[in-house]
Amino acid sequence: FQYLKRFDSGCNLDTFCYEAHSVEGSPAECLQQFLLHCGILDPSWSEIRNFAWFLNIQLRDCEASVFCNPDFVQDTLQGF
């Protein structure tokens, strides 16, 4: 949710890193972001859950990768 919210606001996601147990927004805002970005017009709860799960895994792996670390890569992969 935090990544999607910042993406819609036009923030630079390259420098953002999720902090465990940090809470932003309401459950309704979270659901609205998932509905906007999941790519299905009328998703079921399981499709929303699968989207959130997949996105979470991808973002967690991205944060853990040295190749996505802006301090390591510097500006060679700007916007990647």
Side-chain angles (χ1 to χ4, degrees):
F1 165 72
Q2 293 177 10
Y3 273 95
L4 294 175
K5 182 178 171 185
R6 284 169 176 75
F7 175 76
D8 283 346
S9 299
C11 295
N12 181 2
L13 297 177
D14 292 341
T15 57
F16 176 70
C17 189
Y18 171 76
E19 293 182 32
H21 307 293
S22 63
V23 177
E24 293 182 13
S26 69
E29 289 175 304
C30 182
L31 180 58
Q32 183 180 23
Q33 285 294 326
F34 288 157
L35 289 170
L36 286 171
H37 293 280
C38 76
I40 301 171
L41 291 178
D42 188 18
S44 67
W45 283 110
S46 64
E47 289 168 328
I48 294 170
R49 183 214 170 271
N50 288 339
F51 170 73
W53 174 79
F54 178 76
L55 184 62
N56 186 53
I57 296 294
Q58 295 299 309
L59 292 171
R60 186 179 60 205
D61 290 349
C62 180
E63 285 184 353
S65 171
V66 69
F67 298 106
C68 296
N69 183 335
D71 296 329
F72 176 74
V73 179
Q74 296 174 357
D75 65 351
T76 59
L77 297 174
Q78 185 66 30
F80 176 70

